Amino acid sequence: MQTRAAILSAFPAERPYAASRPLSVETVDLADPGPGEVLVRVVAAGLCHSDLSVINGDRPRPMPMALGHEAAGIVERLGEGVGDLAVGDHVVMVFVPSCGGCAPCVEGRPALCEPGAAANTAGTLLSGAVRLSRGGAAVHHHVGVSAFADLAVVSRRSLVKVDPEMPLDRVALFGCAVLTGVGAVVNTGEARAGESVAVVGLGGVGLAAVLGAVASGAAEVIALDVNPDKLALATSLGATAAYDPRSEDTVGTVREATRGGVHLAVETAGVAAAFKTAYDVTRRGGRTVTASLPNPSVMMPTTQLSLVAEERTVRGSYLGGGVPSRDIARYMALNAAGRLPVERLHTGTDPLERINEGFDALADGATVRRLIAIAG
């Protein structure tokens, strides 16, 4: 069979992407799903910095590659051995397939799945197979998903079945922004009711972290970003205070307002200065979480002395530090109850043909979560 897909053939790409056109929408060949795999008709896919980091070269991947990892769709066909899904089921895609049998998976940490990480790095599905091709040559899969396409063949281990009553353009956001941002607060950060929480960087993941902090019962939620529109949005979502971290003595202001610093700070911006701000606004004995994926050359700008003498905790959070099949259901239940208004993160929808322009807006910080509408 064939499908339209947004293909990246080389990186890094020059800005503006509207002119350089790094992503070309092409018709490519798509093989049938193999054992343990599923053919999904993609309905909506989000533009995320994890895609942008491949385009700009921060996260080198094998080329050519069909991008897209935050998406939702409808099951079209089942590969051999898939017995717990049916044609017509609504699903959300997860960007780390978990094998279920390696040591991290057995320990309840599917984000660290070893075969999943190896497959994602190689640009294959969990099985090691590549189902996309162009002119007989392989087109690699992006983190096992490749969702900027009409159709995608993915591992069953990359899918979570969802309630068909929820609109799929909203469901798509749960696969990355919500799973990562909310999870960084409640799973990795272990936020407790009545604590103070700061979020540095207010993209889709950061604003989802703000929602998670509010839903967890934080007494104070401090939002920090250089974009005034995002600060205003964070306040409307429940942040109790909002600051531009470039302002003079923002760190001192936050520490004073929170009586020595926040209990938990979450950084989602992917730059060293943002991590430093998050660490500096955290109180003695507090917890600092980073959920961003900066260029591999970026080093953490902090001192070991403060980490020890102040009994700080610094933790990384990938896939929200949780279990997607469990957490996505919980977050959707909170959304249905009105306690996690994820739909407010959606700031526009584009056709697949305007994907390069969409990544320009993302790179400029001018959007929270734009979606690519693939199918009705």
Side-chain angles (χ1 to χ4, degrees):
M1 75 188 106
Q2 293 186 313
T3 183
R4 288 185 314 151
I7 308 296
L8 180 70
S9 295
F11 65 84
E14 294 184 0
R15 295 282 315 277
Y17 302 133
S20 63
R21 314 300 293 178
L23 289 168
S24 58
V25 178
E26 305 178 31
T27 298
V28 296
D29 294 315
L30 179 64
D32 290 337
E37 296 171 358
V38 180
L39 176 67
V40 178
R41 179 167 298 280
V42 183
V43 173
L47 301 181
C48 175
H49 271 277
S50 293
D51 302 294
L52 180 60
S53 66
V54 180
I55 298 170
N56 68 19
D58 281 348
R59 302 280 287 177
R61 297 292 187 186
M63 295 287 115
M65 176 170 279
L67 292 190
H69 71 283
E70 179 187 75
I74 301 171
V75 172
E76 288 275 304
R77 194 181 308 168
L78 303 173
E80 180 184 348
V82 180
D84 58 346
L85 289 176
V87 172
D89 282 345
H90 287 202
V91 290
V92 61
M93 300 182 184
V94 177
F95 59 89
V96 179
S98 54
C99 72
C102 69
C105 284
V106 171
E107 292 166 0
R109 304 186 72 183
L112 303 182
C113 175
E114 292 164 348
N120 283 1
T121 300
T124 71
L125 300 183
L126 183 61
S127 65
V130 174
R131 303 299 181 197
L132 288 162
S133 61
R134 180 176 61 180
V139 174
H140 296 89
H141 299 270
H142 184 214
V143 291
V145 177
S146 293
F148 296 143
D150 297 316
L151 297 166
V153 170
V154 300
S155 169
R156 170 64 184 90
R157 298 284 187 166
S158 295
L159 298 173
V160 174
K161 183 179 176 181
V162 299
D163 183 352
E165 295 301 314
M166 184 173 288
L168 284 168
D169 58 352
R170 187 186 310 175
V171 169
L173 302 178
F174 286 83
C176 179
V178 177
L179 185 64
T180 302
V182 177
V185 172
V186 302
N187 290 325
T188 312
E190 300 177 340
R192 305 175 184 91
E195 288 191 326
S196 53
V197 179
V199 179
V200 184
L202 301 177
V205 173
L207 284 165
V210 169
L211 291 177
V214 173
S216 68
E220 297 163 291
V221 180
I222 314 297
L224 298 105
D225 197 277
V226 300
N227 186 311
D229 292 334
K230 291 180 178 179
L231 292 173
L233 178 56
T235 301
S236 73
L237 293 174
T240 56
Y243 301 99
D244 184 332
R246 300 171 301 181
S247 300
E248 185 176 357
D249 200 26
T250 295
V251 169
T253 300
V254 173
R255 292 182 68 88
E256 182 178 359
T258 55
R259 299 159 302 283
V262 297
H263 295 89
L264 168 66
V266 177
E267 179 271 318
T268 66
V271 295
F275 178 84
K276 187 176 189 308
T277 296
Y279 187 82
D280 288 348
V281 301
T282 308
R283 67 177 56 199
R284 293 165 61 87
R287 311 176 308 277
T288 307
V289 170
T290 176
S292 64
L293 293 171
N295 185 287
S297 64
V298 174
M299 304 297 287
M300 293 194 299
T302 188
T303 66
Q304 184 177 348
L305 177 62
S306 64
L307 192 65
V308 175
E310 298 181 5
E311 289 195 350
R312 303 284 202 98
T313 300
V314 175
R315 294 187 65 182
S317 182
Y318 195 51
L319 204 72
V323 180
S325 58
R326 176 199 69 195
D327 293 345
I328 288 174
R330 289 176 175 177
Y331 302 157
M332 286 187 171
L334 287 171
N335 177 259
R339 296 180 56 196
L340 201 71
V342 169
E343 59 276 10
R344 295 194 56 194
L345 306 183
H346 181 191
T347 51
T349 301
D350 297 309
L352 187 58
E353 289 72 18
R354 288 189 58 81
I355 193 167
N356 289 294
E357 290 81 357
F359 276 113
D360 273 325
L362 181 64
D364 288 337
T367 187
V368 175
R369 254 323 182 256
R370 294 195 72 81
L371 290 173
I372 298 296
I374 310 290

